[in-house]
Amino acid sequence: MGQALWRLPPRQQQQLQEELADQLTESGGVRRDQGRDGGGCQRRAPQHCYSPDIYHLLKTRRGKEQHGFIDLEMLPPELGITILSYLNATDLCLAGCVWQDLGNDEYLWQGLCKSTWGHCSIYNKRLPAGFSYRRLYLQLDEGSLTFNANPQEGISYFMSKGILVDHPKELAKFIFYTRRLNWKMLRIYLDERRDVLDELVTLHNFSNQFLPNALREFFRHIHAPEERGEYLETLITKFSHRFCACNPGLVRDLGLSPDAVYVLCYSLILLSIDLTSPHVKNKMSKREFIRNTRRAAHNVSEDFVGHLYDNIYLIGHVAA
């Protein structure tokens, strides 16, 4: 991230290296034997062959004993945002006290908000005077923690702050582009809000994806329940219709239908359990999987079912 900004023409690289060397010399970093020479003669900083970004970082690293830590303000903004994105709200506030200019940079907080919570209704609104992305970040963090304890209270908090609009599509986008929500609480919320679940399914694009890979992506956003039941059947049904809608050509060529995809998805889940569970001693063979699957899905070719088995055998569980 930000590497493209560091690639400079050779002439500009040399100029930047000389400026950095002069600054380092003036700060006393390479001043040696000055008193011994008696004339204030300074040894010229060596010309390094490093590119400007590495040279700058190394110079900062050499000054660690003097400054205590690397100053994020000396790094490219993109790299600073990446480093700070790993901190929670409390640590970010502490970092803002150390790097005051960085902590008050609204563009930084805006980047942190949108990189962590990719979609919020407030992003598309006209922001009022005095709006602070730093305050918004803290509210988003507080709302996420509340959601992970009680989903309904978390969503209500977001709405009370004007961050989200009570519309299924807006809520689905927020869930789809956010990684701070606990998957167990998210499953409870989606089980109660089937309208949000419907919109969340439509956000997936399974075009030109192999069926097991598409199912993995689906369960990466909408986690499968731990036990077989009505909710799992609902998820697979919605996935089957969405997969067929995204791949009309594949459906036509292979003779698939939502019902056939539904059967194949259940077969893939059972095969995943069979091949990955340590409690199953006699693993299902490829021949057995093809025979059992084609009994339920007659129109599916033997080669296609065989490729499904190979995918699970080589890559692993579809709902891991």
Side-chain angles (χ1 to χ4, degrees):
M1 209 172 174
Q3 292 180 354
L5 298 180
W6 301 353
R7 301 192 185 104
L8 302 175
R11 181 176 299 177
Q12 193 171 353
Q13 288 185 13
Q14 183 178 1
Q15 181 180 359
L16 181 58
Q17 288 180 358
E18 293 176 356
E19 292 178 357
L20 292 174
D22 293 339
Q23 293 177 7
L24 186 61
T25 303
E26 293 174 359
S27 64
V30 294
R31 184 174 299 175
R32 296 175 183 173
D33 302 330
Q34 179 176 356
R36 208 179 310 168
D37 296 341
C41 181
Q42 299 177 0
R43 182 182 301 175
R44 182 173 177 79
Q47 296 293 326
H48 297 280
C49 60
Y50 306 121
S51 60
D53 56 323
I54 299 179
Y55 177 79
H56 198 173
L57 291 175
L58 288 176
K59 187 199 75 154
T60 308
R61 189 66 179 172
R62 281 197 293 268
K64 182 178 179 182
E65 295 79 13
Q66 187 175 8
H67 299 289
F69 45 79
I70 295 178
D71 193 346
L72 290 185
E73 295 178 347
M74 302 177 67
L75 302 179
E78 294 86 354
L79 183 57
I81 291 177
T82 302
I83 294 174
L84 294 178
S85 64
Y86 290 96
L87 304 180
N88 56 33
T90 302
D91 292 336
L92 276 173
C93 290
L94 294 176
C97 296
V98 178
W99 298 288
Q100 295 184 3
D101 293 339
L102 202 63
N104 296 325
D105 189 346
E106 280 295 294
Y107 288 106
L108 169 66
W109 290 101
Q110 180 181 359
L112 290 173
C113 287
K114 294 187 176 182
S115 63
T116 308
W117 297 271
H119 177 84
C120 293
S121 303
I122 196 172
Y123 293 160
N124 301 321
K125 295 180 180 179
R126 185 173 182 177
L127 302 178
F131 177 83
S132 171
Y133 274 101
R134 179 176 183 176
R135 188 185 309 112
L136 176 61
Y137 183 94
L138 297 177
Q139 292 174 347
L140 286 168
D141 185 74
E142 178 68 22
S144 299
L145 293 175
T146 305
F147 182 95
N148 294 337
N150 188 310
Q152 292 294 345
E153 291 185 3
I155 296 297
S156 299
Y157 176 86
F158 287 129
M159 293 179 182
S160 66
K161 300 297 183 180
I163 298 175
L164 290 178
V165 176
D166 189 9
H167 189 277
K169 192 170 185 177
E170 287 294 308
L171 297 175
K173 287 183 178 180
F174 174 76
I175 293 172
F176 187 81
Y177 294 108
T178 300
R179 297 293 178 267
R180 288 284 185 92
L181 305 180
N182 181 270
W183 65 270
K184 291 184 178 180
M185 294 301 173
L186 187 57
R187 188 176 63 196
I188 295 174
Y189 179 74
L190 293 176
D191 193 14
E192 297 175 353
R193 292 292 302 268
R194 296 299 175 91
D195 55 341
V196 178
L197 177 61
D198 291 338
E199 295 291 343
L200 187 59
V201 172
T202 59
L203 292 176
H204 290 81
N205 183 10
F206 302 124
S207 300
N208 301 320
Q209 290 193 30
F210 194 36
L211 179 60
N213 298 333
L215 194 58
R216 287 189 186 93
E217 180 183 337
F218 180 73
F219 284 137
R220 194 176 297 120
H221 287 96
I222 307 174
H223 290 270
E226 298 174 353
E227 297 180 358
R228 180 176 178 178
E230 186 270 338
Y231 181 60
L232 178 60
E233 295 178 0
T234 300
L235 292 181
I236 297 179
T237 300
K238 294 182 181 299
F239 168 81
S240 302
H241 285 84
R242 182 60 181 168
F243 182 82
C244 291
C246 292
N247 297 280
L250 182 66
V251 171
R252 182 179 59 255
D253 296 340
L254 297 179
L256 295 177
S257 66
D259 292 337
V261 175
Y262 179 91
V263 173
L264 293 176
C265 289
Y266 255 114
S267 299
L268 290 172
I269 292 175
L270 295 177
L271 177 65
S272 299
I273 297 174
D274 185 276
L275 295 182
T276 59
S277 175
H279 304 292
V280 179
K281 301 302 180 183
N282 298 322
K283 305 296 184 182
M284 184 184 301
S285 66
K286 186 175 182 178
R287 185 186 301 272
E288 291 173 333
F289 177 73
I290 294 175
R291 183 179 66 248
N292 296 338
T293 302
R294 296 200 68 208
R295 285 177 182 174
H298 307 285
N299 297 331
V300 182
S301 67
E302 182 175 333
D303 291 339
F304 182 76
V305 179
H307 291 320
L308 296 179
Y309 182 93
D310 295 337
N311 183 279
I312 303 300
Y313 184 84
L314 295 174
I315 299 180
H317 206 302
V318 293

